[in-house]
Amino acid sequence: MPIGHTSAQMALRDPDIRLMLRVRDDDSAAFGELVERFQHRLVGVMHHLVGNADEAEDLAQEVFLRVYRNRKKYTPKAKLSTWLFTIANNLALNALRDRKRRQVVPLEVSESGAVGSRPTDAPAATRDAPPAHQLQQQELAVVIRRALDGLNERQRVAIVLNKFEDMNYTDIAEVMGLTSKGVKSLLSRARAKLREALQGYIYMDAEPPPDPAAGGDEAE
């Protein structure tokens, strides 16, 4: 099937792709709308991956810069969010590797709240809470941040995309350049590590039913 027909069909089903096609066609308002639609999500994911709020903001902006610079080359092949988070994943991993090479201090402790909350979400939930409750939330945030830091890079990416972006194995596989079975294996090991690290602090839900696309376990 011609690429033009495929793009048109995908655009009909996905409003995000329609928006990106407007960006590609130099619609002056479309890029601003794209940033508004995805900025909060990208900053949130970046914050969980790199552990630094300012760096997360900078990396999210770099995602949008790369999208704009490459807009003329855009051809819909998957969900727009998958494409954006593929760029985000590569930038975050590069930032973490650069940090290791520079041997700077460990990831800062996030005060954004429990797992699943984005950096700007927690204050609204805890603003009116008693001081003791706020202290407990901050202590829990420290424990969770350390638990995430205890994962290797790929495990952390898989957990963040699965838990915070609700991505399935197939979409995570596309973002990370793995197979669905490889993602399933990564998530299984990551959940086991988190359960061990968080034992006694929070209840970890059981693993969800297997993704039909994932098949059996595969070590990656």
Side-chain angles (χ1 to χ4, degrees):
M1 181 179 293
I3 292 178
H5 289 176
T6 303
S7 300
Q9 289 179 351
M10 294 185 71
L12 286 174
R13 296 193 301 266
D14 189 339
D16 292 337
I17 289 178
R18 292 199 297 273
L19 180 61
M20 186 60 208
L21 290 174
R22 287 169 53 204
V23 173
R24 186 184 67 181
D25 294 338
D26 294 324
D27 183 320
S28 58
F31 185 69
E33 188 177 340
L34 180 74
V35 172
E36 183 177 355
R37 185 176 297 185
F38 284 98
Q39 184 170 28
H40 183 65
R41 292 168 61 185
L42 281 169
V43 170
V45 166
M46 285 296 198
H47 194 184
H48 286 299
L49 292 179
V50 303
N52 181 288
D54 292 336
E55 189 175 10
E57 293 275 359
D58 292 342
L59 289 171
Q61 292 305 312
E62 180 62 26
V63 172
F64 291 121
L65 284 174
R66 293 194 179 197
V67 166
Y68 189 77
R69 289 173 187 151
N70 293 285
R71 66 192 185 282
K72 293 298 184 182
K73 302 175 184 177
Y74 175 71
T75 301
K77 296 179 180 177
K79 296 176 184 175
L80 181 64
S81 58
T82 302
W83 181 53
L84 291 177
F85 284 110
T86 300
I87 299 172
N89 175 51
N90 292 334
L91 287 172
L93 291 180
N94 287 338
L96 290 171
R97 288 163 188 163
D98 287 344
R99 180 186 294 169
K100 286 181 179 178
R101 284 195 291 267
R102 294 194 305 269
Q103 294 184 331
V104 296
V105 295
L107 300 179
E108 74 175 25
V109 173
S110 168
E111 296 181 356
S112 61
V115 169
S117 58
R118 295 190 172 101
T120 56
D121 291 343
T126 61
R127 182 176 50 217
D128 300 324
H133 177 71
Q134 292 182 14
L135 181 60
Q136 290 173 355
Q137 289 296 104
Q138 290 173 2
E139 291 173 348
L140 181 59
V142 171
V143 172
I144 292 170
R145 180 72 254 172
R146 287 174 180 167
L148 284 174
D149 292 348
L151 302 177
N152 66 39
E153 291 173 354
R154 295 200 305 174
Q155 289 171 346
R156 190 184 310 141
V157 170
I159 280 287
V160 166
L161 294 178
N162 181 247
K163 293 297 185 183
F164 307 149
E165 280 299 312
D166 199 28
M167 284 191 179
N168 60 31
Y169 295 153
T170 302
D171 289 341
I172 296 172
E174 186 159 354
V175 168
M176 299 184 68
L178 301 173
T179 65
S180 294
K181 289 184 288 186
V183 169
K184 179 183 178 183
S185 180
L186 267 181
L187 286 171
S188 179
R189 293 195 298 271
R191 291 186 186 112
K193 280 190 176 182
L194 288 176
R195 286 193 192 97
E196 182 178 354
L198 297 174
Q199 187 175 11
Y201 290 97
I202 62 174
Y203 172 75
M204 293 288 290
D205 291 336
E207 293 191 23
D211 188 323
D217 286 326
E218 176 184 288
E220 287 286 350

